[in-house]
Amino acid sequence: MKSLFDKKAKDRPLQRGDLVLRWDVQWEDKGKHVKFDPLCFVPFRIVEERGNNTYLLENLDGELLELPVNG
């Protein structure tokens, strides 16, 4: 299954200014959410790239997140 997915998956590099959704890890385990619970936070904007696949994000009001996020 993984090799089939990898053949069709496209690399989508993220750039400064792109809008992304951040995964809400509190719902990650099975049974901690119901069918229509939101699994992501509101959109965030990428402010800068901090390394290999790590980004500094801000919300749409311009408030920066304290810690960088892995993409």
Side-chain angles (χ1 to χ4, degrees):
M1 294 286 289
K2 181 185 179 325
S3 62
L4 232 142
F5 174 82
D6 289 344
K7 286 180 185 177
K8 294 184 179 189
K10 297 178 184 176
D11 188 25
R12 296 186 179 119
L14 298 173
Q15 299 175 358
R16 185 176 183 187
D18 287 348
L19 293 177
V20 294
L21 292 174
R22 196 178 102 195
W23 180 257
D24 190 355
V25 288
Q26 75 175 356
W27 303 115
E28 196 165 282
D29 294 332
K30 186 176 180 177
K32 288 193 173 184
H33 65 277
V34 293
K35 190 171 187 174
F36 295 108
D37 279 343
L39 299 179
C40 295
F41 292 112
V42 296
F44 289 90
R45 183 174 291 117
I46 296 176
V47 176
E48 77 178 77
E49 188 173 353
R50 286 279 178 103
N52 189 16
N53 212 21
T54 303
Y55 304 94
L56 185 61
L57 303 178
E58 69 179 2
N59 65 15
L60 298 181
D61 294 331
E63 300 170 12
L64 289 174
L65 290 181
E66 294 179 18
L67 299 172
V69 176
N70 291 335

